[in-house]
Amino acid sequence: MPRKPTLPKLRQAAAGCRACDLWERGTQTVFGEGGSRARVMLVGEQPGDREDLEGRPFVGPAGRILDDSLEKAGIDRRAVYVTNVVKHFKWEPRGKRRIHQKPNSVEIGACRPWLDAEIALVKPDVVVCLGATAAQALLGRTFRVSRQRGEFVPSSLAPRVLATVHPSSILRAPDDETRRAETSRFVADLKRVAKALK
Ligand code: URA
């Protein structure tokens, strides 16, 4: 960890991270992205296949849902810092495909100093946990997104902290109608974030 960290210094240090074994499987560290003065920090689980290849968070299919939903909620993606609790893609081969695997608590713990350093530097007004992995890593193992989504919850991470679903859960909706309904709920949660910024 750099002694006087800046985002570029952190990114450079994280590129060589070997704190857990995931560096062996991932193409590269996918560090967070966004301005050092961003008022909102969005925290996902880990980079996916596209993110691993491009080296940037939320640039794949889940990222497209996120971008569209942010726009619908009136939040400029440029005003947002986007990152993940784990910064390497964890996957297993299935035929030619790389299938996402959930990070375990050792991997999440090993990666945590990077996220803590990002939060300490950016000092966002609002932290948004996207999905259960981020919510439980940041708000505790007993946190249930299904029960507490869209609610601001007390936390020392930032003045306001809220959890919602992961945009990839919207991608997995079984039909168009469910997808539309789930997107509206996601946008409604993001609108609460937008309102908190006013
Ligand atoms: N899913 C995540 O949690 N993060 C990404 O960066 C992409 C997909």
Side-chain angles (χ1 to χ4, degrees):
M1 194 64 65
R3 265 208 294 151
K4 279 195 186 161
T6 59
L7 288 173
K9 278 196 211 170
L10 279 179
R11 168 187 295 277
Q12 202 181 16
C17 186
R18 302 282 188 267
C20 77
D21 292 340
L22 292 182
W23 67 272
E24 292 174 306
R25 249 185 281 180
T27 307
Q28 56 192 316
T29 303
V30 179
F31 202 68
E33 202 173 79
S36 59
R37 290 162 171 258
R39 296 186 63 202
V40 182
M41 183 176 287
L42 302 178
V43 185
E45 180 193 83
Q46 62 167 332
D49 184 76
R50 279 259 34 101
E51 289 78 14
D52 170 74
L53 297 172
E54 286 193 32
R56 300 178 56 207
F58 284 102
V59 290
R64 272 195 295 282
I65 300 223
L66 182 61
D67 286 350
D68 287 352
S69 302
L70 284 170
E71 198 184 322
K72 283 186 189 135
I75 301 174
D76 188 347
R77 172 136 180 195
R78 286 166 304 183
V80 163
Y81 187 94
V82 185
T83 191
N84 286 296
V85 285
V86 168
K87 290 173 171 57
H88 275 108
F89 179 34
K90 182 177 183 182
W91 58 278
E92 63 177 14
R94 198 168 303 158
K96 284 190 183 150
R97 295 182 56 206
R98 303 193 298 170
I99 305 297
H100 161 276
Q101 281 189 300
K102 254 192 189 315
N104 62 35
S105 57
V106 172
E107 292 148 355
I108 291 171
C111 218
R112 182 64 191 255
W114 300 119
L115 180 61
D116 285 339
E118 289 172 296
I119 295 174
L121 265 170
V122 176
K123 298 189 189 71
D125 294 326
V126 186
V127 168
V128 181
C129 305
L130 299 171
T133 302
Q136 291 179 358
L138 296 181
L139 300 170
R141 298 283 288 271
T142 58
F143 190 91
R144 292 287 172 269
V145 174
S146 53
R147 255 187 276 136
Q148 285 166 283
R149 71 176 288 173
E151 278 175 29
F152 288 109
V153 290
S155 161
S156 55
L157 294 172
R160 286 179 176 262
V161 179
L162 164 151
T164 181
V165 294
H166 194 286
S168 64
S169 68
I170 297 172
L171 285 173
R172 290 194 299 270
D175 52 64
D176 284 351
E177 196 187 329
T178 316
R179 190 168 307 114
R180 266 196 297 276
E182 284 306 313
T183 305
S184 303
R185 285 188 76 195
F186 185 54
V187 171
D189 291 344
L190 294 176
K191 279 186 178 162
R192 299 201 69 194
V193 174
K195 209 167 159 198
L197 296 174
K198 284 186 183 143

